[in-house]
Amino acid sequence: MSDIAERVKKIVVEHLGVDAEKVTDSANFIDDLGADSLDTVELVMAFEEEFSVEIPDDAAETIVTVGDAIKFLEKNVAA
Amino acid sequence: MFELKGRKALVTGATGGIGGAIARALHARGAEVVLSGTRREVLDKLAAELGERVHVVPANLADTAEVEALVPAAEEAMGGLDILVNNAGITRDNLFMRMKDEEWDAVLAVNLTSAFRLSRAAVKGMMRRRFGRIISIGSIVGATGNPGQGNYAAAKAGLVGMTKALAAEVASRGITVNCVAPGFIATPMTDALNEKQRESILGNVPAGRLGTSEEVAAAVVYLASDEAAYVTGHTLHVNGGMAMF
């Protein structure tokens, strides 16, 4: 698992209070992890903070699974 | 009770009678305060009076760029923002049939749209900190209507609906969103009324007198306090019984 993936999953576990094994790449924040729409906004804010990156609203809307978030951040975070 | 020590507040329209009283009251309870308004010299004077824990950030809320810059500037000045008081307001009264688009647009822009933009900006940091108080100053006119104030009444009623929607969204994050709706308050505006106008207004106020800015400010202090944590989406009317809801 990449460093980014690890950090993303840690944030998701902490924020949503779910078991780490549930936080798979294919896990959908709302359908699988019990997030509400406000949680997803907060997760995006948490990712922005953790990775010092700006996630525009149109990109944020495409992030619906844990894997989506990892993919976006791997592409947009300066190594 | 109602201690605000360590809280960071932004008050728009702090140049006005009610806004100034709100800023003074929050400050007196221990809050750090950013004073905003259009007239820098009035803000500076109030800041000098308050002394410590006070900052001045002038902004014209009719200007979108200045609205957008205000919350970041306040957060920068204080290292965060816990209490946003959307107090700034203007009037452009006219009979409905004569009301110009510009009069409608100007009042909606300052009284409602700026409150939306400031609240949107402020709520982000409040969510992160799991605490926030957004208090918008409405008006009795938003609930009862008033001839000559179609634009003002619409904007003030709009604040009530906006407050309820936002309150429902962020209640689980420790953020409350409320309105304070003053009735007839003694300000330079009401000083301009003649005796006959004054009497006719007071005839509709069971308390038999005009309210004071301090009485409005006290309602804001309450809603800003930790003690009011379970009050959200509410409009607190401060009107001497002029209208009861």
Side-chain angles (χ1 to χ4, degrees):
Chain A
M1 191 160 44
S2 75
D3 167 56
I4 285 178
E6 211 166 306
R7 283 155 74 194
V8 165
K9 287 180 180 176
K10 187 161 172 268
I11 288 171
V12 174
V13 166
E14 276 171 11
H15 189 86
L16 299 179
V18 290
D19 291 338
E21 59 261 32
K22 278 195 180 161
V23 185
T24 60
D25 283 8
S26 62
N28 182 298
F29 292 118
I30 291 173
D31 296 337
D32 300 321
L33 301 176
D36 63 19
S37 54
L38 197 59
D39 287 318
T40 63
V41 172
E42 286 191 310
L43 280 171
V44 166
M45 280 162 49
F47 297 146
E48 287 180 330
E49 210 159 295
E50 170 77 17
F51 296 100
S52 306
V53 65
E54 185 130 349
I55 305 177
D57 287 348
D58 53 343
E61 278 164 26
T62 67
I63 298 176
V64 297
T65 67
V66 175
D68 293 338
I70 294 168
K71 234 182 291 166
F72 176 89
L73 291 163
E74 281 178 341
K75 210 183 291 175
N76 291 282
V77 174
Chain B
M1 296 259 277
F2 315 130
E3 267 297 316
L4 298 176
K5 207 167 166 217
R7 296 294 186 207
K8 302 168 168 76
L10 165 60
V11 180
T12 68
T15 47
I18 292 177
I22 292 168
R24 280 191 190 93
L26 295 174
H27 188 267
R29 305 307 300 174
E32 186 173 354
V33 182
V34 166
L35 309 173
S36 189
T38 48
R39 287 169 290 157
R40 167 128 223 166
E41 64 285 358
V42 180
L43 297 173
D44 283 340
K45 207 172 144 214
L46 178 55
E49 176 198 318
L50 296 178
E52 291 177 331
R53 293 181 279 113
V54 60
H55 313 265
V56 169
V57 182
N60 174 8
L61 299 187
D63 181 310
T64 305
E66 291 191 30
V67 174
E68 295 289 356
L70 181 53
V71 165
E75 287 178 331
E76 165 102 32
M78 299 185 291
L81 177 61
D82 304 305
I83 302 162
L84 167 65
V85 183
N86 291 311
N87 166 72
I90 60 169
T91 55
R92 295 284 183 274
D93 295 356
N94 208 343
L95 285 177
F96 209 93
M97 284 185 294
R98 298 237 156 92
M99 187 167 286
K100 295 174 183 61
D101 285 1
E102 299 79 63
E103 292 167 338
W104 174 271
D105 290 343
V107 167
L108 269 287
V110 173
N111 297 13
L112 182 59
T113 308
S114 82
F116 155 66
R117 292 200 170 108
L118 294 173
S119 301
R120 181 178 60 185
V123 82
K124 206 167 176 187
M126 291 173 176
M127 295 232 306
R128 222 170 249 144
R129 289 185 294 275
R130 290 288 189 270
F131 179 89
R133 297 283 185 268
I134 296 175
I135 300 155
S136 296
I137 307 305
S139 167
I140 184 174
V141 162
T144 62
N146 198 29
Q149 294 200 304
N151 49 3
Y152 190 78
K156 294 300 189 181
L159 285 174
V160 172
M162 182 187 85
T163 289
K164 290 177 180 176
L166 179 56
E169 283 187 29
V170 299
S172 62
R173 305 309 198 261
I175 303 167
T176 69
V177 191
N178 291 288
C179 281
V180 171
F184 274 97
I185 305 300
T187 63
M189 195 180 81
T190 49
D191 288 346
L193 298 172
N194 64 39
E195 201 50 43
K196 208 171 149 213
Q197 290 171 312
R198 185 180 288 263
E199 261 172 39
S200 105
I201 289 168
L202 289 182
N204 294 317
V205 181
R209 63 173 178 85
L210 297 177
T212 66
S213 297
E214 290 71 27
E215 287 168 325
V216 177
V220 173
V221 166
Y222 166 65
L223 291 171
S225 71
D226 287 1
E227 284 79 2
Y230 206 55
V231 177
T232 195
H234 187 68
T235 298
L236 182 45
H237 289 270
V238 180
N239 64 24
M242 187 177 177
M244 304 185 195
F245 303 92

